Amino acid sequence: MSKVTTPEKLFDVPDPTDPLAAPALMARAEGVVEKHAALLEPLARAFHERGETLYMVGGSVRDAMLGRGVHDLDFTTSARPAVIQEILGEWGEKVWDTGIEFGTVSAIRRGETVEITTFRSDLYDGVTRNPEVTFGDTLEGDLVRRDFACNAMAIELSLDDDLRLSPTFHDPVDGLSDLVAQVLDTPQAPEVSFRDDPLRMLRAARFVSQLGFTVADRVFDAMRDMAGEIERITAERVQAELDKLMCGARPWEGIDLLVATGLADRILPEVPALQLETDEHMQHKDVYRHSLTVLRQATELEEDGPDLELRWAALLHDIGKPATRAPKEGGGVTFHHHEVVGAKLARKRLKALKYPKHVIEDVGQLVFLHMRFHGFGEGQWTDSAVRRYATDAGDLLPRLHKLVRADCTTRNAKKAARLQRTYDELEDRIAEIAAKEDLARVRPDLDGNEIMEILDLKPGPEVGKAWKYLKELRLERGELDHDDAVAELKAWWEKERA
């Protein structure tokens, strides 16, 4: 692909050709300031009395214009950190200065959090993304160093002659035009911006996912040409951006941008590798496109907001296919056991990205289990198979249901309906057996103490083997009464000792 496009808008933004578009968006942002006037007016007066200026800035202004809702209020100011700290100490109910070396002080009042940072004009060494912190003297100098023009607008908390709040809009890099057009472009040349901080390239993909924006042609070209610079960024920072991307409204578009620019080759190489493989059902252009479709469909099945582990499993569920590709007799290809290989690759990649152990294990297990449903013929699920499916998934079962349904992407309407109907029947079977047998707590019919007493054993590996045998028996045949369980255990033990 050459450029990433967005099919529809996520937010109510006026038509770019409408001459009233820009004033309407400015009014939205100023309305947010006015909505918080009772809170912000005393703050603005305090800065005014010190001879300092104060501006709402960045994502707060952008989100206000998009109607996203503004939860935390970000500001920049001419005041130096010590002055900010003094003012917030009087204004706020609680103040913290963990970022004061970077010029940032935060406070909370009446449930609202504000973060105020001194104008910055940092210097970068082109080796790390950590700048030499330098405080600036102008708003324009602060805004031009920001990542994207749509994040470089400001609303001054200015006061009228009666010292009442009278917000004033500032847009020295024309971010408003980009916002109306829903385009991500950099205030400076993108090559300069990304060389200063390569993480901004990942932020571009993240905003594509979160906001539904496209990237300007020159931004796309710079991301492609400078993809190698991302290796200056630590795995922890990459992971943090990927989290935000994956939990955005359109994660498949953010991933697509990473792949198209070559950034994914550096941080998530298993995903672009899928472009080399043709889906064995010939339903999709390639397995990569299929994986993006599964990711999109998985997000549509979510019920309580973004599910990071489900989304990662959806994206990575087929990454074992390149390593397992083999020609099929009569034409086509197969990917036998790609779920086993894929689970290992998913765990390895997420570990390299410094994900928590529980995320690594959950995503790996979902990838491992995603083909289990397809291993059984339609309507041929035995009670034993149903028990194993549910117990192997454990707490992941609700996610596995969504993943398997999302993976049914055939364009054949009759086949798609048949697959969904079959899965409906499986869920009904699970619910039916669970109601009778409490599948969430499937355990052998005899516990370890009973096993040791019946077989006259002391604690050791033999007890574990006996326990495992009884659990397999429980899964295969369902609950046994006590006498039958004892008889089965004794028969098994006789064979073991023979």
Side-chain angles (χ1 to χ4, degrees):
M1 69 182 294
S2 56
K3 299 291 186 289
V4 175
T5 58
T6 302
E8 59 185 53
K9 294 181 178 181
L10 283 176
F11 303 101
D12 180 19
V13 177
D15 188 312
T17 62
D18 183 350
L20 299 179
L25 293 180
M26 290 167 55
R28 279 187 191 175
E30 291 170 358
V32 169
V33 174
E34 292 167 358
K35 177 182 176 182
H36 293 85
L39 186 75
L40 297 180
E41 195 168 83
L43 189 62
R45 287 175 183 164
F47 278 85
H48 177 76
E49 289 168 2
R50 297 290 191 104
E52 308 287 1
T53 50
L54 180 66
Y55 305 84
M56 188 169 81
V57 72
S60 297
V61 177
R62 179 202 68 219
D63 289 347
M65 289 182 171
L66 292 175
R68 293 185 78 198
V70 180
H71 305 290
D72 296 336
L73 301 171
D74 295 331
F75 297 88
T76 189
T77 179
S78 58
R80 291 310 191 244
V83 175
I84 301 173
Q85 193 172 30
E86 289 177 14
I87 293 174
L88 290 182
E90 297 174 358
W91 176 86
E93 297 163 1
K94 180 181 178 182
V95 178
W96 55 98
D97 59 3
T98 51
I100 196 166
E101 64 180 298
F102 300 103
T104 301
V105 184
S106 304
I108 188 168
R109 175 169 169 167
R110 299 178 189 172
E112 295 283 353
T113 300
V114 301
E115 183 176 282
I116 305 179
T117 303
T118 302
F119 293 157
R120 298 265 294 270
S121 58
D122 300 337
L123 300 175
Y124 291 85
D125 60 12
V127 177
T128 69
R129 70 173 296 267
N130 301 317
E132 177 186 337
V133 177
T134 305
F135 299 132
D137 298 312
T138 67
L139 173 69
E140 290 75 13
D142 179 272
L143 295 179
V144 76
R145 54 165 286 279
R146 293 177 179 262
D147 55 2
F148 299 104
C150 64
N151 295 332
M153 298 177 286
I155 295 180
E156 183 176 359
L157 270 63
S158 47
L159 302 171
D160 61 20
D161 293 339
D162 298 322
L163 299 182
R164 306 296 297 179
L165 200 59
S166 179
T168 305
F169 182 67
H170 295 264
D171 185 19
V173 297
D174 198 21
L176 186 55
S177 294
D178 285 358
L179 191 76
V180 173
Q182 299 197 55
V183 171
L184 293 167
D185 201 354
T186 51
Q188 307 177 79
E191 293 80 7
V192 174
S193 183
F194 297 156
R195 186 168 295 109
D196 282 349
D197 185 359
L199 191 67
R200 290 170 174 168
M201 294 188 286
L202 292 191
R203 286 171 64 84
R206 186 240 290 188
F207 288 131
V208 165
S209 170
Q210 290 180 325
L211 306 177
F213 284 19
T214 59
V215 294
D217 286 352
R218 68 172 191 160
V219 169
F220 181 96
D221 293 342
M223 291 173 68
R224 180 195 58 211
D225 296 343
M226 300 178 68
E229 294 291 313
I230 201 64
E231 294 179 5
R232 290 162 46 193
I233 305 300
T234 65
E236 290 83 356
R237 296 307 300 266
V238 170
Q239 182 223 111
E241 284 301 319
L242 287 176
D243 275 356
K244 294 172 184 176
L245 184 160
M246 290 296 287
C247 289
R250 290 181 178 144
W252 56 93
E253 291 182 2
I255 292 294
D256 203 21
L257 178 59
L258 293 181
V259 171
T261 56
L263 279 160
D265 290 321
R266 309 281 180 164
I267 61 174
L268 206 58
E270 296 81 3
V271 174
L274 294 172
Q275 294 178 110
L276 304 177
E277 300 302 322
T278 302
D279 185 271
E280 71 268 36
H281 303 300
M282 303 302 175
Q283 301 159 345
H284 303 276
K285 182 178 180 181
D286 52 37
V287 177
Y288 167 68
R289 286 290 158 196
H290 163 75
S291 297
L292 294 188
T293 299
V294 174
L295 175 58
R296 176 179 58 78
Q297 294 185 165
T299 65
E300 293 169 353
L301 292 172
E302 292 170 342
E303 299 163 349
D304 300 309
D307 184 332
L308 181 66
E309 294 175 20
L310 172 64
R311 293 183 180 201
W312 270 120
L315 178 63
L316 302 179
H317 76 286
D318 275 348
I319 60 172
K321 284 188 171 180
T324 57
R325 185 175 189 267
K328 185 167 58 176
E329 187 176 347
V333 294
T334 62
F335 303 99
H336 291 311
H337 305 302
H338 73 271
E339 70 278 13
V340 178
V341 174
K344 292 178 181 178
L345 291 174
R347 291 187 179 102
K348 183 178 180 180
R349 177 52 50 196
L350 294 178
K351 183 177 180 181
L353 289 169
K354 307 295 186 182
Y355 272 93
K357 184 176 180 180
H358 71 90
V359 174
I360 296 171
E361 290 306 313
D362 285 354
V363 173
Q365 185 69 353
L366 286 168
V367 172
F368 176 72
L369 293 173
H370 85 274
M371 287 296 293
R372 186 76 61 86
F373 166 71
H374 299 285
F376 294 86
E378 296 177 17
Q380 297 176 8
W381 284 74
T382 64
D383 285 354
S384 172
V386 172
R387 290 189 196 97
R388 291 178 187 278
Y389 190 85
T391 55
D392 286 353
D395 293 339
L396 295 174
L397 186 60
R399 285 191 177 111
L400 183 59
H401 288 332
K402 293 183 178 69
L403 176 60
V404 174
R405 288 186 181 278
D407 193 27
C408 296
T409 61
T410 175
R411 294 175 183 173
N412 184 314
K414 289 184 178 180
K415 183 177 180 182
R418 187 169 67 249
L419 285 170
Q420 295 294 348
R421 187 168 58 249
T422 301
Y423 205 85
D424 289 341
E425 293 169 359
L426 173 59
E427 287 201 56
D428 290 342
R429 292 279 302 284
I430 291 173
E432 178 185 343
I433 294 176
K436 293 189 296 185
E437 302 181 13
D438 194 8
L439 285 179
R441 295 180 176 82
V442 168
R443 299 177 66 82
D445 295 291
L446 303 173
D447 63 24
N449 290 327
E450 290 175 299
I451 291 170
M452 288 188 288
E453 181 179 344
I454 293 166
L455 300 182
D456 192 24
L457 294 174
K458 293 181 179 180
E462 291 90 352
V463 178
K465 288 178 66 177
W467 191 92
K468 184 177 180 180
Y469 166 74
L470 288 175
K471 181 171 182 182
E472 288 296 312
L473 192 65
R474 169 73 169 79
L475 289 169
E476 186 67 31
R477 292 170 50 182
E479 290 182 281
L480 301 176
D481 63 38
H482 186 270
D483 290 345
D484 287 343
V486 170
E488 291 287 350
L489 175 64
K490 288 180 177 180
W492 170 82
W493 184 238
E494 287 296 326
K495 291 180 182 179
E496 282 290 303
R497 294 194 300 175

